[in-house]
Amino acid sequence: MSRKEETKNNLLDAFWELYKEKPLTKITVKEITDKAGYNRGTFYTYFVDINEALEILKASLMPDKDMIINPFIELKDNDGKIIEPIEGTNDYLKKNGEKIAVLLGPKGDPGFVHELKARLRQIIINYAEDLEIKEVEDFEYVIEYHIAGLISMYQLWLEKKQNIDEESLGLVYEKTAYDGALSVINHMLNDTK
């Protein structure tokens, strides 16, 4: 890593430490540079403003194409089954979990949810168009439903302070994804004590 890259990363790390603790509007360039050990002018060598630092950080957290497409390839190639449904997601969350949790949390960035959904949806739609599926418009709505549900499920898990383990959360997700939400809800409502 070059010295310039190291300096930029140090500034982003300092920004992140502050962002975890307080709203973006309360963070100053001076706080960031003091925390990183640089003078104020150094910040402007790498960023136009604090918003740009946040945008760069968010962009670095976007999942890669393979992580998104691999489950769909498995689904298509394995007669509607995904062998390792949440494996890639678990690895992604282990690497980026703290940042994702903050950005998706109540004090996070609502724009991040929108950007994340848009990125996931576009990757999946591009894959569907490459396959030349017949109902791309309908498929996009189904994908949006699925993505929104997955993100909301993860947000609730964070809100509830990860009250169940990751494996249990994965099983709830898989059951809902395979059987459909109404089917799972109906089963639970009719399986009373």
Side-chain angles (χ1 to χ4, degrees):
M1 177 184 310
S2 74
R3 188 167 182 83
K4 282 185 153 240
E5 290 173 309
E6 185 178 338
T7 301
K8 185 175 183 178
N9 286 339
N10 289 342
L11 289 166
L12 283 170
D13 289 344
F15 164 74
W16 175 251
E17 290 303 314
L18 293 165
Y19 186 77
K20 287 190 309 188
E21 302 301 321
K22 57 186 177 176
L24 184 68
T25 56
K26 301 288 186 192
I27 299 171
T28 66
V29 170
K30 184 165 178 10
E31 286 178 301
I32 295 169
T33 54
D34 285 352
K35 192 166 202 59
Y38 300 104
N39 66 47
R40 193 171 183 276
T42 304
F43 180 87
Y44 294 105
T45 302
Y46 298 93
F47 310 101
V48 171
D49 57 19
I50 293 173
N51 289 320
E52 183 182 18
L54 178 60
E55 291 307 314
I56 289 169
L57 180 84
K58 290 189 309 186
S60 75
L61 296 173
M62 290 296 160
D64 67 28
K65 181 180 174 182
D66 288 341
M67 184 188 115
I68 304 309
I69 294 301
N70 286 343
F72 290 91
I73 292 171
E74 277 193 56
L75 191 65
K76 186 175 180 323
D77 293 347
N78 293 320
D79 198 29
K81 290 289 179 190
I82 301 174
I83 311 301
E84 302 273 348
I86 58 170
E87 225 30 61
T89 304
N90 282 345
D91 292 343
Y92 169 73
L93 291 175
K94 284 176 186 164
K95 179 181 173 191
N96 302 303
E98 178 194 43
K99 290 176 181 166
I100 299 293
V102 169
L103 288 168
L104 291 178
K107 295 180 182 177
D109 181 355
F112 181 70
V113 174
H114 176 75
E115 292 162 29
L116 180 61
K117 287 185 348 181
R119 170 148 172 87
L120 298 175
R121 186 175 55 247
Q122 192 57 57
I123 289 170
I124 296 165
I125 293 304
N126 288 347
Y127 172 69
E129 288 172 345
D130 289 346
L131 292 176
E132 298 179 356
I133 71 167
K134 294 176 186 171
E135 300 167 345
V136 173
E137 291 82 17
D138 291 352
F139 186 73
E140 186 171 9
Y141 283 97
V142 173
I143 292 304
E144 179 66 17
Y145 177 85
H146 187 78
I147 292 169
L150 180 59
I151 290 172
S152 292
M153 187 180 275
Y154 183 70
Q155 286 175 309
L156 178 63
W157 184 63
L158 293 172
E159 186 181 308
K160 293 181 121 337
K161 302 193 182 336
Q162 301 172 3
N163 62 328
I164 59 176
D165 59 62
E166 285 179 36
E167 187 175 324
S168 297
L169 180 66
L171 291 172
V172 171
Y173 161 72
E174 286 177 37
K175 181 151 187 58
T176 305
Y178 279 114
D179 296 345
L182 291 178
S183 175
V184 171
I185 290 168
N186 181 48
H187 177 74
M188 289 176 166
L189 288 173
N190 289 300
D191 189 24
T192 58
K193 294 178 182 175

